[in-house]
Amino acid sequence: MQKNYFQKDMETMPIEEIKKIQNEKLVKQVKYVYDNVKYYRDLMDKKGVKPEDIQSTDDLYKLPFLKKDDLREAYPFGLLATDIKNCVRIQSTSGTTGKRVVAFYTQNDVDVWEECCARAIVAAGGTNGDVCQVAYGYGLFTGGSGLHGGSHKVGCLTLPMSSGNTDRQIQFMMDLNSTILCCTPSYAAYIGETLKEKGYKPEDNKLKAGIFGAEPWTEEMRRDIEKSLGIKAYDIYGLTEISGPGVAFECEEQNGMHINEDHFLVEVIDPDTGEVLPEGSKGELVFTSLDKEAFPLLRYRTRDICVLSREKCSCGRTFVKMTKPLGRSDDMMIIRGVNVFPSQIEAVLLNCGYAPNYQIIIDRVNNTDTFDINVEMSKEDFSDTPKVITNKEKQLQSAMKAMLGINPKIHLVSPKSITRSEGKAVRVIDNRKRLGITV
Ligand code: ADP
Ligand code: ZN
């Protein structure tokens, strides 16, 4: 079979040469950050590290980590490394109003990001003869614009559908002969189900591949989607802080995602001690950008738990492969593709006059996440008039929606009815675990 790559030289470069490029870029990027980002310079000074101490990737461990909290503290401009005039784009993490992280891009940053997405599309079999339906959300969320840009770079006919309006998605998919579908895996599954409900068989559509990511999904889900849409389903990984989707992408082997190592240096660390672990160990992924101009991050802790592998891949790519994220080392939940922290829910409860006695229950029914929050009423608040309770639930629901960007179902429950725990409170019951979904 003819192998296809978007940037063959880079994607199949012998690892020794990739390492050489990484060393050169790293030395430059560290100096650039030190000279231009006061926030990180202060961290380096505090640790007693100077740019000259970093001569190769072997010295990486000397640098301080960056965490999501640093990004919040430095919000909005504190980690910007260039004049705002040189920036052409801002994107932001999904739906986390209280804890928003914004990332800036120069034109070159956008180009690199889109090239990474183009690599993913080509690895999934995409060419300029394809019709690429982008059904990730457009807007601040990186999914839509990342794959949109990648699709342009490959030369596909791009259908910028954004997410939602499933009837229209299906109509365009059928009428315009879409061959590649890009969206979250749960939306892909939903489109598959809807097609079936409408009486279509998998062979009725022209789709051949799907590029699905931004949230955890299982091998079972992959098989279901492949069957219902009659396609091959490929995984794609990314995070806004490090540019968006396309940090890593799956090839025809469909067993792990190649990390675009010419742009992103990866380490795996012990989340408790911060110690760098040998390749093949399970730990937290840490990324260092190598050629970012606007928002370069050094040693950014993703909180995603993964394993890396350098086993030779039959696709010919030499970039290291990461497993699907196997869990997270913080309490972030991803519900319907949106990042949600229990602390945000607590903040809303306190604001609305409730004590933080609550329990979050998440499940996945018909491939869609369900999101329920049980909240205890205080004795004073307690009412046995259903109408009063329903009104209060509605008020709380809209306050939650404003904070989280998604709508939970609120259930006000009687005082002291949520079991008190003697140790760490069990705030989250994630029943998706029974489906093997780990985040
Ligand atoms: P995105 O816009 O890609 O959702 P966010 O910055 O909002 O990016 O969220 C990034 C997080 O989403 C990652 O740290 C990871 O936990 C999760 N994620 C992204 N892609 C995948 C994937 N393919 N599989 C599992 N989790 C993923
Ligand atoms: Zn491969």
Side-chain angles (χ1 to χ4, degrees):
M1 186 180 129
Q2 158 104 38
K3 305 255 183 226
N4 285 321
Y5 311 96
F6 182 66
Q7 288 164 321
K8 180 164 189 254
D9 291 353
M10 225 47 244
E11 293 176 60
T12 59
M13 185 176 274
I15 185 63
E16 303 71 45
E17 283 176 50
I18 296 175
K19 292 225 151 121
K20 240 170 75 191
I21 293 180
Q22 287 180 330
N23 288 339
E24 280 164 21
K25 285 188 175 180
L26 178 68
V27 170
K28 265 204 206 144
Q29 181 98 103
V30 171
K31 184 165 178 345
Y32 177 69
V33 170
Y34 190 83
D35 290 345
N36 293 290
V37 183
K38 180 180 180 307
Y39 189 96
Y40 199 76
R41 178 164 65 241
D42 289 348
L43 289 181
M44 281 177 67
D45 287 345
K46 216 165 121 198
K47 215 169 172 235
V49 201
K50 291 277 168 245
E52 308 78 79
D53 298 330
I54 311 300
Q55 291 300 327
S56 78
T57 55
D58 292 340
D59 298 322
L60 199 58
Y61 73 95
K62 297 176 185 165
L63 289 170
F65 289 119
L66 272 176
K67 300 199 190 106
K68 210 167 196 132
D69 278 343
D70 290 302
L71 269 62
R72 288 183 196 125
E73 208 175 308
Y75 172 93
F77 301 119
L79 288 161
L80 190 60
T82 187
D83 193 315
I84 195 84
K85 273 199 217 139
N86 301 326
C87 298
V88 297
R89 180 87 68 79
I90 290 179
Q91 305 276 170
S92 176
T93 52
S94 37
T96 53
T97 317
K99 310 231 178 193
R100 228 176 235 304
V101 164
V102 289
F104 299 83
Y105 305 69
T106 62
Q107 185 56 50
N108 190 57
D109 294 335
V110 172
D111 283 336
V112 168
W113 172 29
E114 292 179 353
E115 280 166 18
C116 288
C117 290
R119 288 177 184 180
I121 293 172
V122 173
T127 68
N128 62 3
D130 279 298
V131 179
C132 184
Q133 179 159 348
V134 183
Y136 282 107
Y138 280 61
L140 284 170
F141 175 56
T142 52
S145 41
L147 269 306
H148 177 97
S151 171
H152 271 238
K153 287 244 186 305
V154 176
C156 304
L157 175 59
T158 310
L159 259 139
M161 299 298 295
S162 198
S163 56
N165 203 338
T166 309
D167 285 346
R168 194 179 57 189
Q169 298 275 359
I170 288 176
Q171 189 195 340
F172 275 29
M173 175 185 288
M174 293 301 183
D175 294 350
L176 304 175
N177 299 323
S178 302
T179 53
I180 297 178
L181 176 66
C182 306
C183 60
T184 59
S186 40
Y187 194 45
Y190 182 69
I191 292 178
E193 266 168 34
T194 314
L195 276 170
K196 197 170 164 199
E197 273 168 29
K198 287 181 182 289
Y200 290 111
K201 290 200 259 336
E203 57 276 20
D204 293 339
N205 70 65
K206 296 278 187 310
L207 290 175
K208 61 177 188 189
I211 301 172
F212 307 129
E215 66 180 0
W217 53 312
T218 59
E219 286 305 321
E220 292 73 45
M221 209 165 155
R222 180 188 331 245
R223 281 194 289 276
D224 276 0
I225 296 173
E226 290 192 329
K227 220 167 113 201
S228 69
L229 291 173
I231 59 168
K232 283 213 161 279
Y234 299 88
D235 204 351
I236 185 165
Y237 167 89
L239 57 166
T240 310
E241 298 89 315
I242 304 297
S243 72
V247 171
F249 62 96
E250 235 174 19
C251 63
E252 66 221 33
E253 274 204 359
Q254 293 179 293
N255 69 346
M257 294 173 270
H258 289 287
I259 295 174
N260 282 310
E261 286 188 282
D262 51 336
H263 300 303
F264 314 110
L265 200 54
V266 64
E267 301 166 272
V268 168
I269 62 160
D270 177 326
D272 298 324
T273 63
E275 184 199 346
V276 179
L277 300 175
E279 226 150 64
S281 319
K282 183 169 158 183
E284 182 181 334
L285 282 189
V286 175
F287 285 109
T288 295
S289 61
L290 288 173
D291 32 32
K292 282 280 205 74
E293 295 175 342
F295 202 67
L297 297 186
L298 306 181
R299 300 199 88 201
Y300 182 66
R301 291 186 58 163
T302 62
R303 295 290 177 184
D304 289 321
I305 304 291
C306 289
V307 180
L308 298 182
S309 157
R310 266 202 202 277
E311 253 174 55
K312 198 166 163 18
C313 187
S314 62
C315 77
R317 287 178 184 79
T318 43
F319 294 152
V320 72
K321 271 172 70 170
M322 59 178 268
T323 57
K324 278 178 180 299
L326 307 168
R328 290 191 51 91
S329 62
D330 64 4
D331 56 0
M332 187 179 93
M333 304 165 275
I334 302 183
I335 308 173
R336 294 176 214 144
V338 173
N339 303 346
V340 176
F341 290 86
S343 54
Q344 292 175 290
I345 289 168
E346 279 188 39
V348 176
L349 291 178
L350 293 170
N351 263 338
C352 297
Y354 293 88
N357 293 323
Y358 65 98
Q359 202 155 43
I360 303 162
I361 300 146
I362 313 163
D363 207 338
R364 191 166 284 184
V365 181
N366 297 330
N367 291 308
T368 306
D369 290 336
T370 60
F371 177 23
D372 293 76
I373 310 176
N374 293 335
V375 179
E376 266 185 19
M377 287 177 281
S378 64
K379 266 203 196 122
E380 301 75 58
D381 274 345
F382 183 66
S383 159
D384 44 16
T385 321
K387 203 169 159 209
V388 174
I389 295 189
T390 311
N391 275 340
K392 286 189 167 178
E393 286 173 341
K394 275 195 188 136
Q395 277 167 9
L396 196 50
Q397 184 177 25
S398 55
M400 289 287 176
K401 168 92 206 270
M403 169 65 107
L404 308 171
I406 52 171
N407 244 331
K409 227 190 214 149
I410 304 286
H411 311 273
L412 287 177
V413 297
S414 40
K416 295 265 163 10
S417 63
I418 293 178
T419 325
R420 300 289 189 268
S421 143
E422 290 183 353
K424 223 165 124 105
V426 184
R427 293 282 185 224
V428 183
I429 300 175
D430 193 341
N431 292 320
R432 294 176 300 185
K433 288 201 176 99
R434 75 187 153 80
L435 303 169
I437 297 162
T438 44
V439 175

